[in-house]
């Protein structure tokens, strides 16, 4: 438990963004974590209030909304009185939103002004080099030149919904605690990869459920943490955080591989055969890219060449991880169905 807590609190991505880039995501992530704990302890009304607070603190918490909706709605459908249960949850959400938005409800214009700040569509579908689908594919398809902002909003909405729908439906069909964490991971990854105007720091959202699954998926957590951190490397270099970056990577590796962490349940963390070779090759590529980015200057014709290389490598790993976690979540449906049958008998 202490090792798991250290993995959550000492995550290098969170520390560098919140205390180096000064974004303070720990508040909304902490409220979301409280909502997860409330769901696990069967306090769904408290969970709705806490997640509503997280959503109002940072709109990025919307990345988790499909997972919360799917899990809670799936539980309501299995309740003796589904309508009453949904009504209670809905009233808690509406009450929390009303309480927070009360200072802005004196006029329609004030509400619209706040909403316009929450959705800065004028910045375009991507701004910096972030390791998601739109920015990665822009090397071949110039999205900003070929399509209008309205078209890109529609494309990103459809792509995001198609990506998150399977995990949300799985939780409506067979809600479970473990499945809920996978749904949070898949939902947040879907938003990160396909939604409109994603920032590099948004990788912190998939990292939250991944850290809660670390005992179940240690290799996934380590791989996501490393490549999530690497995807933010150009941003952290601009903030002059290279020394803290190196120090926190070393600290993370030392804590992750500490003797306390070496238990039988985590032996799957050690890959073998061709998997070990591929992973070693990818790690070597990241090491080389670090050196290239710090030492060499890009060609004048392609000033963002090195950022594009880092983005391509990281995005490829995120796609592999989200495909794996979606398959893993749907495999839980079979085991959950068997457990439910045993309980009925």
């Amino acid at each position: 438990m202490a090792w798991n807590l250290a993995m959550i609190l000492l995550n290098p991505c969170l520390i560098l963004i919140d205390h180096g880039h000064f974004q303070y995501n720990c508040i909304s992530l902490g409220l979301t974590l409280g909502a997860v704990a409330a769901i696990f302890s069967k306090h769904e009304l408290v969970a709705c209030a806490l997640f509503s607070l997280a959503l109002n603190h940072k709109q990025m918490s919307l990345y988790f909304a499909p997972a919360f909706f799917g899990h809670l709605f799936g539980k309501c459908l299995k309740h003796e009185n589904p309508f009453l249960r949904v009504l209670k949850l809905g009233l808690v959400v509406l009450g929390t939103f009303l309480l927070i938005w009360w200072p802005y409800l004196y006029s329609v214009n004030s509400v619209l002004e706040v909403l316009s700040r929450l959705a800065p569509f004028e910045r375009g579908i991507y701004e910096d080099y972030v390791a998601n689908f739109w920015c990665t594919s822009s090397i071949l398809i110039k999205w900003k030149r070929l399509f209008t902002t309205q078209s890109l909003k529609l494309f990103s909405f459809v792509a995001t919904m198609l990506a998150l729908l399977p995990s949300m439906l799985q939780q409506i069909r067979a809600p479970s605690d473990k499945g809920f964490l996978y749904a949070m991971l898949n939902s947040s990854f879907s938003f990160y990869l396909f939604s409109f105007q994603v920032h590099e720091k948004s990788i912190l959202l998939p990292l939250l459920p991944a850290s809660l699954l670390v005992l179940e998926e240690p290799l996934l957590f380590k791989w996501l943490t490393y490549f999530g951190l690497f995807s933010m490397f150009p941003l952290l270099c601009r903030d002059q955080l290279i020394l803290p970056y190196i120090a926190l990577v070393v600290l993370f590796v030392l804590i992750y591989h500490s003797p306390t962490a070496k238990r039988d349940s985590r032996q799957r963390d050690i890959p073998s055969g061709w998997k070990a070779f591929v992973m070693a090759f990818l790690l070597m590529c990241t090491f080389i890219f670090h050196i290239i980015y710090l030492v060499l200057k890009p060609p004048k014709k392609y000033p963002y060449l090195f950022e594009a290389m880092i983005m391509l490598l990281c995005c490829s790993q995120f796609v592999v991880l989200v495909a794996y976690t979606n398959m893993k979540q749907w495999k839980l449906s079979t085991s959950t169905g068997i457990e439910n049958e045993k309980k009925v008998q």
Side-chain angles (χ1 to χ4, degrees):
M1 186 179 295
W3 179 83
N4 195 358
L5 185 62
M7 289 292 95
I8 297 171
L9 297 179
L10 298 178
N11 191 289
C13 299
L14 181 62
I15 293 173
L16 286 168
I17 289 296
D18 274 28
H19 305 287
H21 195 63
F22 298 110
Q23 288 285 340
Y24 307 111
N25 299 277
C26 56
I27 299 173
S28 59
L29 292 174
L31 290 167
T32 303
L33 186 58
V36 173
I39 286 178
F40 286 177
S41 58
K42 313 302 180 187
H43 294 95
E44 285 85 3
L45 297 178
V46 176
C48 286
L50 288 173
F51 184 65
S52 297
L53 291 173
L55 191 56
N56 280 278
H57 178 263
K58 265 191 179 289
Q59 68 270 30
M60 286 197 313
S61 300
L62 183 67
Y63 286 25
F64 298 127
F68 275 88
F69 171 80
H71 182 77
L72 292 173
F73 187 63
K75 279 188 171 181
C76 288
L77 293 178
K78 299 181 184 301
H79 201 264
E80 293 178 359
N81 194 334
F83 178 77
L84 181 61
R85 194 65 181 168
V86 171
L87 183 62
K88 287 181 179 178
L89 297 175
L91 288 174
V92 171
V93 172
L94 289 174
T96 308
F97 268 77
L98 184 63
L99 183 65
I100 294 172
W101 281 77
W102 186 259
Y104 306 101
L105 297 179
Y106 62 88
S107 72
V108 177
N109 288 334
S110 62
V111 173
L112 293 176
E113 285 179 9
V114 175
L115 291 176
S116 65
R117 294 296 301 271
L118 295 176
F121 292 117
E122 68 279 357
R123 295 182 184 177
I125 195 164
Y126 60 87
E127 196 168 2
D128 269 337
Y129 274 83
V130 58
N132 73 347
F133 169 78
W134 303 110
C135 197
T136 304
S137 60
S138 67
I139 295 174
L140 298 176
I141 306 171
K142 304 303 178 184
W143 298 103
K144 293 182 178 181
R145 296 179 189 174
L146 296 175
F147 302 98
T148 63
T149 301
Q150 290 298 324
S151 298
L152 292 174
K153 283 195 286 187
L154 179 61
F155 293 164
S156 64
F157 175 77
V158 172
T160 305
M161 291 303 296
L162 289 175
L164 65 84
L165 203 58
S167 64
M168 186 175 72
L169 292 176
Q170 189 276 335
Q171 277 303 282
I172 295 175
R173 177 173 173 265
S176 65
D177 289 348
K178 189 183 292 184
F180 173 54
L181 293 179
Y182 278 105
M184 288 181 66
L185 181 55
N186 292 323
S187 175
S188 55
F189 247 140
S190 299
F191 275 94
Y192 178 84
L193 289 172
F194 298 108
S195 64
F196 201 96
Q197 186 58 227
V198 175
H199 191 275
E200 292 96 330
K201 67 176 181 293
S202 299
I203 196 63
L204 293 176
L205 285 95
L207 272 170
L208 177 63
S211 63
L212 299 177
L213 284 165
V214 65
L215 296 178
E216 178 74 17
E217 301 281 0
L219 184 58
L220 180 146
F221 170 71
K222 180 173 70 172
W223 207 244
L224 177 56
T225 299
Y226 181 75
F227 278 93
L229 188 61
F230 184 48
S231 70
M232 297 188 293
F233 183 65
L235 173 69
L236 299 173
C237 283
R238 290 198 296 271
D239 290 339
Q240 298 181 349
L241 295 172
I242 298 175
L243 184 59
Y245 177 93
I246 296 171
L248 286 169
V249 168
V250 173
L251 179 64
F252 174 79
V253 172
L254 289 175
I255 295 175
Y256 184 89
H257 293 285
S258 63
T260 309
K262 294 179 180 178
R263 298 176 181 176
D264 293 337
S265 61
R266 266 168 257 145
Q267 289 303 312
R268 71 194 83 177
D269 178 69
I270 305 172
S272 59
W274 65 272
K275 291 182 181 179
F277 174 77
V278 171
M279 292 179 69
F281 174 75
L282 291 171
L283 290 174
M284 181 59 66
C285 288
T286 63
F287 178 75
I288 294 171
F289 286 173
H290 277 104
I291 302 300
I292 289 175
Y293 192 87
L294 292 173
V295 175
L296 301 180
K297 290 184 178 180
K300 291 183 178 179
K301 189 177 180 180
Y302 304 106
Y304 300 105
L305 175 64
F306 299 157
E307 285 88 347
M309 292 164 59
I310 293 173
M311 171 194 66
L312 281 167
L313 180 59
C314 293
C315 185
S316 67
Q317 299 310 296
F318 296 155
V319 170
V320 171
L321 291 178
V322 77
Y324 166 77
T325 51
N326 269 280
M327 290 189 293
K328 190 69 180 287
Q329 183 185 344
W330 271 95
K331 285 182 180 179
L332 295 174
S333 299
T334 306
S335 58
T336 304
I338 294 171
E339 289 176 4
N340 291 336
E341 288 179 6
K342 288 181 180 178
K343 288 180 181 178
V344 171
Q345 293 173 357

